[in-house]
Amino acid sequence: MSNPVAAHADDAAGRTPTDSSASIPRPKEPAEMTAEERSAFAEKCKGIGNRGFQAGDWDYAAVAYQEGIRYLEFVAHDQQMQPVPSDHGGAQRLEKDMALAVTIFSNLAATMLKMDEPSEALNYAEKALRFDPKHVKSLFRMGQAHLALGNFDAVHLTAKELEEQEQEEAAKLIKMAEHGAAVAKRKQKALFTKMMSS
């Protein structure tokens, strides 16, 4: 799997990843950037991830989104690994970065659902909801993850939370949960019947 962030650096330099005639520039590490540069880089990672997602390249999208989160989560530290007090760029920058983190975590949840990793999807949706408990897409993706895990009661609880924001999406989630529960019940009944006939 190629690194989409490094590939983006290649594109910006006018080279392709297979062009070995020059060294490939790598993006700076978070510690080498200002808060503003880290935010801008995380935004680029989101765009790269979105392109990967739209192309159906889930691994590529996941790596790009995870890299964006890595830059947003960076905290400077001293030699004893204690956080160094710093200004993140003010309240407005912090709000913007929190909104970006919500979007990236939610996109990671969608990507993990596509990769058939519902536990990871649930984890990322929950992280998004820590920043914005009413984020519609994250609530829906959390419900989808619970559904994929067979947690039908949790799907209904999520749908109730979602209903406050988006009734149509909540209804869709409830319908999916009811269908999933019915399928699970039929499978359980068939298994029981098979066990009793043996």
Side-chain angles (χ1 to χ4, degrees):
M1 169 174 47
S2 65
N3 183 331
V5 178
H8 180 71
D10 297 337
D11 293 343
R15 291 186 296 272
T16 61
T18 57
D19 181 4
S20 60
S21 62
S23 64
I24 298 172
R26 297 284 178 220
K28 292 180 190 176
E29 284 298 310
E32 302 166 334
M33 295 179 167
T34 65
E36 190 172 296
E37 289 172 324
R38 286 191 298 272
S39 297
F41 190 77
E43 186 71 47
K44 286 180 184 178
C45 290
K46 181 189 88 168
I48 293 167
N50 289 349
R51 287 191 297 278
F53 188 91
Q54 290 165 355
D57 192 343
W58 317 126
D59 289 328
Y60 189 83
V63 169
Y65 292 141
Q66 289 165 342
E67 191 72 349
I69 290 296
R70 184 171 80 92
Y71 278 72
L72 285 177
E73 289 181 331
F74 175 78
V75 176
H77 56 275
D78 63 19
Q79 292 172 334
Q80 283 80 39
M81 297 306 290
Q82 297 300 311
V84 174
S86 64
D87 180 15
H88 186 76
Q92 192 174 20
R93 163 77 46 219
L94 190 57
E95 276 185 40
K96 186 177 176 186
D97 282 354
M98 286 173 60
L100 179 58
V102 168
T103 300
I104 294 175
F105 278 131
S106 186
N107 290 356
L108 269 164
T111 303
M112 292 299 132
L113 286 166
K114 292 287 189 180
M115 295 173 72
D116 198 27
E117 295 287 345
S119 294
E120 285 295 311
L122 181 60
N123 178 45
Y124 286 124
E126 288 173 341
K127 285 181 179 186
L129 292 166
R130 284 187 203 129
F131 289 104
D132 183 357
K134 298 191 181 293
H135 191 255
V136 172
K137 286 184 178 180
S138 297
L139 283 167
F140 189 76
R141 290 168 181 160
M142 183 169 76
Q144 288 178 303
H146 279 304
L147 183 64
L149 292 167
N151 303 333
F152 303 115
D153 290 339
V155 177
H156 282 281
L157 289 173
T158 303
K160 283 184 181 183
E161 287 181 57
L162 185 58
E163 198 168 38
E164 295 173 19
Q165 315 301 317
E166 181 68 45
Q167 290 182 347
E168 193 175 308
E169 293 295 312
K172 190 186 310 182
L173 197 54
I174 289 170
K175 189 174 181 176
M176 291 166 61
E178 288 170 351
H179 176 73
V183 168
K185 192 172 186 176
R186 282 194 301 271
K187 284 182 180 179
Q188 187 178 26
K189 188 175 179 180
L191 181 63
F192 182 74
T193 302
K194 186 176 179 180
M195 285 175 35
M196 297 309 281
S197 65
S198 295

